[in-house]
Amino acid sequence: MAQLTFLAVHAHPDDEASSTGGLYRVLADQGVRTVLVTCTNGECGDALDGAKPSSDHHDGDEVAAVRSKELDEAVEILGINRLIRLGYRDSGMMGWPQNEDPESFWQTPVDVAAHRLAAILLEERPQVIVTYNEIGFYGHPDHIQAHRITVAALELIDYEPTLYFNAIPNSAMARFRERWEREERERREANAAKGIEEPEGDPSNEEEIDMGTPDELIGAAIDVSTATDAKRAALAAHQSQMADAFWLKMSLEDFRAAMGVEWFVRVTNPQSLDGVVTDIFAGYR
Ligand SMILES: [Zn+2]
């Protein structure tokens, strides 16, 4: 039987941990070969002192160097066999001036990056590939571009892998949202008790992107409960980016309970699978 190989195309260092960290660890434990393609260096992340890219002392190259080491650590924790950095510059959030940087991933012609990715696919021949949907899960230009180059690369290779997009079903999203709202309320109440007043956030200023997926569109629900500690450790490895991360504010028990499943939408289906599979390599073994 051919070697099973899994490959994910991610936008930034840390995305491999947040959306596929459990899956990577589970597959590594099963002896599946795992490959990670990280498209950008993450220059627009937080600096070590928490500075945002709009700050004058934020140095994107320094941030990228820190994140590169963090990525190496996460890759080790998740048992990823091969990491390929495409090395594009982080494009920042939609509307940021970094979107216009000619070196940015967003400005890179899809065709150019897709050919590079196709060469990797032809070398590794992964049966299963994961990336984001057409809105990049939450609208980030680098995530959208990761989607575009992956879909384009599949047109350039001589076989059809099973492509999945990472997803969170609406039912689970509702549970997450309830938790965020409860925690936010508790935080405000605690602050109010201490006499700290904060202005109510203006929800109209926040563009809400619907990140949930209708439950009936989910094609794979993978039990990663044996890998939640590794996932948490991989997230924590990206420590420069985790200052505001809700994941790491959860207790270990809550994290285990909340993160025991990773979900995916099936996009190509060469194995003619039906319904929701619990093995991402369903049809291949
Ligand atoms: Zn990202």
Side-chain angles (χ1 to χ4, degrees), residues 19-242:
S19 57
T20 48
L23 179 61
Y24 265 120
R25 187 62 254 178
V26 163
L27 292 175
D29 292 342
Q30 293 171 354
V32 170
R33 177 171 170 77
T34 58
V35 180
L36 166 61
V37 175
T38 300
C39 297
T40 78
N41 308 317
E43 285 91 346
C44 293
D46 293 355
L48 279 178
D49 64 354
K52 303 287 176 193
S54 54
S55 150
D56 18 325
H57 73 273
H58 181 281
D59 180 332
D61 292 326
E62 251 171 48
V63 171
V66 169
R67 298 189 73 177
S68 175
K69 290 207 187 80
E70 292 173 344
L71 180 57
D72 284 338
E73 202 185 315
V75 159
E76 181 77 37
I77 292 166
L78 299 177
I80 294 170
N81 294 110
R82 183 181 179 196
L83 163 65
I84 299 143
R85 296 171 167 90
L86 294 186
Y88 295 107
R89 279 190 91 79
D90 193 324
S91 315
M93 303 291 276
M94 201 60 96
W96 287 13
Q98 288 88 347
N99 295 176
E100 310 301 327
D101 184 337
E103 307 273 291
S104 73
F105 190 32
W106 191 234
Q107 291 297 328
T108 301
V110 168
D111 182 51
V112 170
H115 272 90
R116 293 180 62 195
L117 179 57
I120 296 163
L121 298 182
L122 288 173
E123 190 188 333
E124 292 286 348
R125 304 193 76 81
Q127 293 90 347
V128 176
I129 299 176
V130 165
T131 191
Y132 321 107
N133 64 11
E134 62 284 353
I135 61 159
F137 188 69
Y138 73 110
H140 191 299
D142 291 327
H143 289 239
I144 294 171
Q145 192 76 334
H147 162 88
R148 289 179 180 167
I149 74 162
T150 305
V151 170
L154 292 201
E155 297 297 317
L156 300 171
I157 60 177
D158 61 358
Y159 73 103
E160 188 183 31
T162 305
L163 175 67
Y164 287 96
F165 296 155
N166 77 300
I168 297 185
N170 284 335
S171 58
M173 196 57 101
R175 288 196 300 275
F176 283 130
R177 192 164 289 129
E178 210 175 284
R179 152 179 222 106
W180 292 327
E181 285 167 4
R182 189 184 66 234
E183 285 173 354
E184 176 68 7
R185 201 169 52 239
E186 286 168 0
R187 198 181 53 77
R188 281 176 182 282
E189 283 166 6
N191 279 346
K194 284 186 264 173
I196 305 168
E197 281 220 29
E198 11 176 357
E200 284 284 329
D202 180 359
S204 65
N205 284 343
E206 282 170 40
E207 225 179 293
E208 274 278 313
I209 288 181
D210 189 4
M211 295 188 289
T213 295
D215 285 52
E216 61 273 19
L217 297 183
I218 296 296
I222 312 297
D223 178 353
V224 298
S225 55
T226 58
T228 47
D229 287 11
K231 177 168 179 157
R232 195 171 199 274
L235 284 165
H238 294 285
Q239 56 179 302
S240 66
Q241 306 307 307
M242 292 295 148

